[in-house]
Amino acid sequence: MSLRLSPTDNETLLSFFGNGIWYYINLEIVGILVFIITYWPMGRLLKRENGIK
């Protein structure tokens, strides 16, 4: 029986998020940031196209 210290056996980009509960917390924060970065320009573009200021 081996103790797993990271979500994957090999070092990957997901290893950057940490271990245990911090892995899920950091992954959720990054997901929210990606959503905001994607949504913000599209929201501004839609407002501009509809003539709403």
Side-chain angles (χ1 to χ4, degrees):
M1 186 165 107
S2 66
L3 179 64
R4 291 185 64 184
L5 298 175
S6 65
T8 60
D9 291 333
N10 299 324
E11 290 294 319
T12 64
L13 288 175
L14 293 177
S15 300
F16 172 74
F17 295 119
N19 301 321
I21 190 71
W22 288 109
Y23 173 80
Y24 296 106
I25 292 170
N26 290 330
L27 195 62
E28 192 71 27
I29 290 169
V30 169
I32 291 169
L33 288 174
V34 168
F35 174 78
I36 290 171
I37 290 169
T38 305
Y39 180 79
W40 183 67
M42 287 302 297
R44 290 181 55 94
L45 180 65
L46 288 174
K47 283 182 183 179
R48 186 181 307 156
E49 284 182 357
N50 291 333
I52 301 171
K53 292 186 178 185

